Amino acid sequence: MISLRGVSLVYPNGTRALDAIDLEIAKGSFVFLVGHSGTGKSSLLRLLYREQVPTRGEVTVDATRVDKLRRSKVALLRRNVGVVFQDFKLLGDKTVWENVAFALQVTGARTKDVMRQVPRVLDLVGLAHKSRMFPSELSGGEQQRTAIARALVNNPKILLCDEPTGNLDPSNTNEVMDLLHRINLKGTTVLIATHNAIVVDRMRRRVIRLENGKIVADEERGYYLAAGGDRGTAAAEELELVRSRNGLGTNPLFSE
Amino acid sequence: MDSGRIRFFLSEVRRNFARNLIMQLTAIGTVTVTIVLLGGFLFTRQTLGAIGGNVIEKIEISVFLRSDATTAQAKRLQATLEHDPRVRSVEYVPKAEGLREMRDRLRGQIDTSLLTSNPLPDALRIRVVDPARARDVATFAAKQPLVDKVEYAQDAVEKLLRVFDVLGRVGLGVIALLVFTAAIIISNTIRLTVFARRREIAIMQLVGASGLYIRMPFICEGFIDGFAGAAIAIAVLAIARAELWPKLVVALSFLPLHAAAIDGPMFGLQLLGVGSAVGIVASWLSVGRYLRT
Ligand SMILES: Nc1ncnc2c1ncn2[C@@H]1O[C@H](COP(=O)(O)OP(=O)(O)OP(=O)(O)O)[C@@H](O)[C@H]1O
Ligand SMILES: [Mg+2]
């Protein structure tokens, strides 16, 4: 489903974000991408939806050579690859329904299909009853579920998530992870870049660890931290680090 | 295109438009001014052309024959000149008629009865096809046998032609400048809208909207700016034409203004086309620059 061969990415300013990456991800898998800040997780995801083109190497997504894709074909790739971000990227002046429908409408979908697909995904993410609300009237988890619904409405085979729970409190995090799990069970390949040790350790799925743009570990049922360390305390420390980096901290006043 | 899709598209265009209403009005106003001036200029040029044509058509070359030329020789020379493709017509003016014309012209200014004999020679009066070649024809006529002297309003003709030429060039320059200004302002307006909508655009690109689909609302917006501006300008011109023009014709009755006939509806359509085209091209270019990632 996803394959990277000898992929390197050097940004125009000379930063080497990815260095000779080889990676295979099978259809229908559920994969975590972990590693310290600035190790290239987001960069790797960007290659898959053609936001970036590799400096070297081959990127194949669903039998398409993404690195060689013509500009005019990028739109078609993106209908087949849903993307979700930490900051949701919803449109504030559109309702939940309109935000989700937007993704179909701008691809020139027929109204008939919009009327069928939007309720389907809103049902899936459990937001059918809030479809007339605006993003500002939703909790963080509900906003992220709206974003997931939007990513899914074109029926993509792959869902890429860049820190999907980065802005969420634990209960919203669980809500969103359950949803991603259910989406995966329906056959969608899910790839999640995350700093959330608790989530990774609870799910026990394939974990790919990046360090300085290289894959340093790739475990089937892995943990957030590398084998050998004291996983229990280390995970808590890392989580603390991430929270402070995101400006959330442990102060309940600042956690959403 | 089902009605839902059209409604979605129109609501996107309306959102774009409302996002920056002041700027839209500025763009429309600029197009209006440009098209009013363009229309006024084209109309003036057409009118001047018609008046000028009228004057130029009347320009004649007078060919005076030697006093020993006979009527038959004069007629032969007339036939020769008439065969020249540069010549529109040649009129034979025997000296008796020349004198009568002169008496008419000078009546009341001098006492022509004092003339006891006719001092005028026989003459030929030539009208040319193209006033720009009057000099050639005059030179040619002067070389003919029995020709004594050739006169024509050489300076006047050439000055008039030069004035028209300069007017045309200056006018074209001014119009090019105006169209350019309008295009810049529309393009800035579109860029502001694009900037205001960068989140939407980013999401469209993310979910796989085609480039054309992303551009379309902006192109539409530019088209509306150009079209609306031109439409207002045409209304202004039409009112001016109905209200002011008849008064001008009366006030300047010594000029053959009636000669400047113009096909109003056709002219209006052309101006509308110019306005819309400027809007479309300007927005196409400015959106294209922004979306190239
Ligand atoms: N557009 C860019 N231009 C230049 N350098 C970039 C760009 N984006 C990322 N980088 C650099 O590339 C490296 C990898 O960045 P990337 O965003 O992929 O890391 P990450 O693993 O997603 O980090 P985080 O966990 O903080 O999100 C970093 O050193 C970063 O500074
Ligand atoms: Mg990142």
Side-chain angles (χ1 to χ4, degrees), chain A residues 28 120 124 152 179-189:
Chain A
R120 177 185 67 83
L124 177 69
L152 290 177
L179 173 60
L180 292 176
H181 187 211
R182 275 189 289 126
I183 289 164
N184 176 243
L185 289 179
K186 283 168 165 276
T188 309
T189 306

Side-chain angles (χ1 to χ4, degrees), chain B residues 41-93:
Chain B
F41 171 79
L42 290 178
F43 184 75
T44 308
R45 201 172 67 164
Q46 168 125 5
T47 307
L48 277 185
I51 295 172
N54 209 294
V55 172
I56 283 169
E57 235 167 55
K58 292 203 176 115
I59 279 169
E60 319 166 319
I61 300 170
S62 298
V63 179
F64 298 104
L65 303 181
R66 291 211 314 253
S67 51
D68 57 337
T70 63
T71 304
Q73 283 169 324
K75 292 269 184 198
R76 259 205 306 284
L77 181 55
Q78 180 183 17
T80 313
L81 290 171
E82 271 171 344
H83 269 96
D84 192 301
R86 295 167 298 187
V87 173
R88 187 200 301 276
S89 67
V90 183
E91 191 190 348
Y92 174 53
V93 188

Side-chain angles (χ1 to χ4, degrees), chain B residues 152-174:
Chain B
Y152 77 108
Q154 177 180 323
D155 277 1
V157 174
E158 281 169 6
K159 260 186 205 140
L160 200 60
L161 288 175
R162 225 168 17 243
V163 167
F164 282 165
D165 195 47
V166 170
L167 275 182
R169 275 166 213 266
V170 169
L172 273 185
V174 169

Side-chain angles (χ1 to χ4, degrees), chain A residues 194-205:
Chain A
T194 185
H195 280 291
N196 194 324
I198 295 170
V199 160
V200 176
D201 290 353
R202 205 188 52 183
M203 303 269 297
R204 301 295 313 280
R205 296 304 194 95

Side-chain angles (χ1 to χ4, degrees), chain B residues 61 81 84 86-87 126 128 133-142:
Chain B
I61 300 170
L81 290 171
D84 192 301
R86 295 167 298 187
V87 173
I126 306 174
V128 293
R133 320 249 340 237
R135 183 192 287 275
D136 296 353
V137 176
T139 315
F140 175 72

